[in-house]
Amino acid sequence: MGDTLLIAVYAFAGAAATGLAGAAVLRLIRRRSLTASLAVVAAVGVVAMLAGTLAVAWAMFLNTHDLTVVTTVVAMAAVVSVATALLLGRWVVARSRELAVAARSFGDGGSFAAPDGPTTAELQSLSRELAATSARLAESRERERALETSRRELVAWISHDLRTPLAGLRAMSEALEDGVAADPDRYLKQIRTEVERLNDMVGDLFELSRIHAGTLPLSYARISLYDLVGDALAGADPLAREHGVRLVGGRIEPVPVEVDGKEMSRVLGNLLVNAIRRTPADGTVAIAAERGTDGAVVLSVTDGCGGIPEEDLPRVFDTGWRGTHARTPPAGAGLGLAIVRGIVEAHQGRATVRNIPGGCRFEVVLPAAAS
């Protein structure tokens, strides 16, 4: 038992010394290739065994023949181990380089495609993460392009919509100044109308900027849908009469919701104004409010606009979108529905639109108030 313990101690001491030396070498070459690190690890394992054997041989005074045999066997094992480690390292490094080349496509605006062929579990996991990151970057670039397109359209349309009333205001003010206005009172009334329109447009831009900045203040209060819809119908009734459109409020359930009354009234007002302006005379605009199947509250506005082209449906709530038939006043700058979506999403809800026979249906889904 004593000899066995002594052999173990000497073998451990020789192997430990080799392990410490190998750790020092790995620290020195930590910035070098993985191939070198694998070769050092393989060499340390074999050399540690050789060092332990030599330590035991020196302590136990093995004969020269036995020591030569053991040393030769360990040396051959070391050669094979180091060679195998070098080959494995070169293969892993080659796969890493292929992965690095594939990842460079991110900077060129392309998509990531993992290299073909087998690879280690770690590199395979990294490939999956890079592929997922590539998909997210592609979605981000697509959203950025869509936002940039919306910004260009918004600037173009706002410029057009501002230029028209400003030109009219200038002409009317010059006519009044020169005393050539046939009906000054009518001119003054028209000037006031144009100023109010410009003020509404600036207000919409300010509201939209707060929504995009995430600084829209909300003052939540418990409100009945019946009161909310009633106020919206009363506010839109004069415009409906002017356009010869019937307003219908059906299935208005007195379900309570916790919302900002002012902002939600703006949502319904924008939806009703949009529906009235795009519904022909003698048409009908209907608003409904009821509890959905999942407990949420559903507000809907149905119009008779004839429907929206399917390719335009995803863009209806985009900033600046007005459709192909709404590019002249008083259609607005295409901000109303963008404001609707922003306010609804700030209430943790969602706004959607779909075509129905003869028109389209806008829906606002809001969380129900806690009982």
Side-chain angles (χ1 to χ4, degrees):
M1 184 67 183
D3 290 342
T4 302
L5 180 59
L6 186 60
I7 290 172
V9 170
Y10 276 99
F12 177 80
T18 304
L20 291 174
V25 173
L26 285 175
R27 181 175 177 80
L28 289 175
I29 66 170
R30 62 185 181 276
R31 299 182 186 277
R32 303 291 297 276
S33 171
L34 180 62
T35 303
S37 298
L38 288 175
V40 170
V41 171
V44 166
V46 179
V47 174
M49 183 173 62
L50 177 60
T53 302
L54 291 176
V56 171
W58 175 78
M60 302 302 294
F61 300 103
L62 294 179
N63 60 61
T64 305
H65 178 269
D66 292 344
L67 184 58
T68 302
V69 170
V70 173
T71 304
T72 303
V73 171
V74 173
M76 293 301 101
V79 171
V80 173
S81 298
V82 172
T84 303
L86 289 173
L87 290 175
L88 176 61
R90 290 175 63 85
W91 178 76
V92 172
V93 168
R95 302 300 298 171
S96 299
R97 287 173 180 167
E98 292 176 1
L99 196 60
V101 171
R104 287 175 191 162
S105 61
F106 287 173
D108 300 331
S111 59
F112 173 80
D116 296 329
T119 185
T120 63
E122 291 78 9
L123 291 180
Q124 185 65 31
S125 176
L126 180 59
S127 295
R128 288 194 295 269
E129 290 297 328
L130 288 174
T133 302
S134 175
R136 289 193 293 269
L137 286 174
E139 292 175 359
S140 178
R141 285 192 293 266
E142 187 61 32
R143 285 195 300 269
E144 184 178 354
R145 282 193 291 267
L147 287 173
E148 183 61 28
T149 300
S150 296
R151 279 193 290 267
R152 290 199 194 98
E153 292 176 348
L154 176 61
V155 170
W157 293 342
I158 285 290
S159 300
H160 174 270
D161 289 346
L162 287 175
R163 189 183 301 115
T164 301
L166 287 174
L169 287 171
R170 180 178 181 178
M172 287 185 287
S173 62
E174 289 177 350
L176 290 171
E177 184 180 2
D178 296 338
V180 296
D183 188 352
D185 291 338
R186 184 175 67 84
Y187 274 50
L188 291 172
K189 183 178 180 181
Q190 184 63 30
I191 288 175
R192 180 181 179 85
T193 300
E194 295 296 337
V195 169
E196 289 178 351
R197 181 172 159 232
L198 289 174
N199 183 68
D200 291 342
M201 192 180 302
V202 173
D204 286 345
L205 285 171
F206 181 65
E207 181 86 349
L208 194 62
S209 69
R210 292 197 299 176
I211 291 172
H212 287 171
T215 59
L216 180 67
L218 296 177
S219 300
Y220 286 93
R222 194 178 183 89
I223 303 174
S224 170
L225 284 181
Y226 189 86
D227 295 335
L228 194 64
V229 173
D231 292 343
L233 287 172
D237 185 65
L239 181 65
R241 292 178 181 275
E242 179 183 342
H243 285 74
V245 174
R246 292 184 297 276
L247 279 182
V248 176
R251 303 195 312 278
I252 310 298
E253 298 183 12
V255 180
V257 289
E258 294 212 6
V259 297
D260 185 308
K262 178 182 177 182
E263 297 297 340
M264 199 51 59
S265 294
R266 182 165 193 167
V267 166
L268 293 180
N270 285 1
L271 290 177
L272 287 172
V273 168
N274 179 75
I276 291 169
R277 286 177 173 171
R278 284 159 178 78
T279 298
D282 294 330
T284 300
V285 171
I287 184 171
E290 53 194 339
R291 190 181 296 276
T293 56
D294 57 352
V297 174
V298 181
L299 295 165
S300 63
V301 175
T302 305
D303 60 36
C305 67
I308 300 172
E310 292 295 329
E311 62 273 14
D312 287 341
L313 280 176
R315 297 196 57 204
V316 167
F317 293 100
D318 287 354
T319 302
W321 187 87
R322 298 188 297 182
T324 56
H325 64 289
R327 297 181 184 268
T328 55
L335 304 181
L337 294 180
I339 291 174
V340 166
R341 181 175 63 178
I343 294 175
V344 171
E345 290 180 352
H347 283 82
Q348 308 303 315
R350 66 180 186 276
T352 60
V353 61
R354 58 186 172 87
N355 285 325
I356 61 172
C360 57
R361 176 185 175 96
F362 287 85
E363 289 188 350
V364 171
V365 181
L366 297 170
S371 42

